[in-house]
Amino acid sequence: AQTVTQSQPEMSVQEAETVTLSCTYDTSESDYYLFWYKQPPSRQMILVIRQEAYKQQNATENRFSVNFQKAAKSFSLKISDSQLGDAAMYFCARNLRVTSGTYKYIFGTGTRLKV
Amino acid sequence: DADVTQTPRNRITKTGKRIMLECSQTKGHDRMYWYRQDPGLGLRLIYYSFDVKDINKGEISDGYSVSRQAQAKFSLSLESAIPNQTALYFCATSDPGTSGRRGQETQYFGPGTRLLVL
């Protein structure tokens, strides 16, 4: 099954501390993309970071970085120097090929982060 | 102005009523999606459309229908609403871009429609 699993329904972090949100996924493909989206109380879905599976280097966007372990099919999000504005629901997602050149997206169940 | 808009933002309806949720985008993207979000279940794909003539069922299409009226418009209908369709509904768009790397496209989401079926 092509699934995305977020095993932590809720996490808490103190301001200025670091927190890591976990995500694992299933895939039979070798080339795919992984995403982390943030949903604040406004309920708007906002892209946080994106990782290309064929790249070894972990993606980084300011205070947000990922730990991508392709063999383990793991894609965790690290938030450094946590701020009050980081409090939100975080969703992990991956793309799934429908046809050559077209994709749909599979989302995890989300992790609520409290700061 | 928002690139992806959804109307209405909130809606209360009764069991058995037909309702339509509308999505419009100014991003010029061909690909559009409808999701529903339920607590503890994340986002689940209802329907998706890769262009005006291409519409596909997602994971949970039963009880829903869609219409792609134009590149910029993608509507979701509940023919006969039932209480377990109470949820937050999102429209999203994406574009493959020109970089040549397939599957990389970011999805851009609308603000969501909160639907309550009584």
Side-chain angles (χ1 to χ4, degrees), chain A residues 30-50:
Chain A
S30 59
D31 193 9
Y32 49 90
Y33 284 78
L34 299 161
F35 308 84
W36 277 99
Y37 280 87
K38 171 184 178 181
Q39 185 183 43
S42 66
R43 77 192 192 200
Q44 182 71 49
M45 293 286 287
I46 303 164
L47 178 69
V48 174
I49 201 165
R50 180 179 69 188

Side-chain angles (χ1 to χ4, degrees), chain A residues 31 43 50 95 100 105, chain B residues 9 37 101-105:
Chain A
D31 193 9
R43 77 192 192 200
R50 180 179 69 188
N95 66 344
S100 176
Y105 298 81
Chain B
R9 292 294 309 276
Q37 181 182 357
R101 288 294 304 171
R102 293 177 173 177
Q104 66 169 311
E105 61 246 47

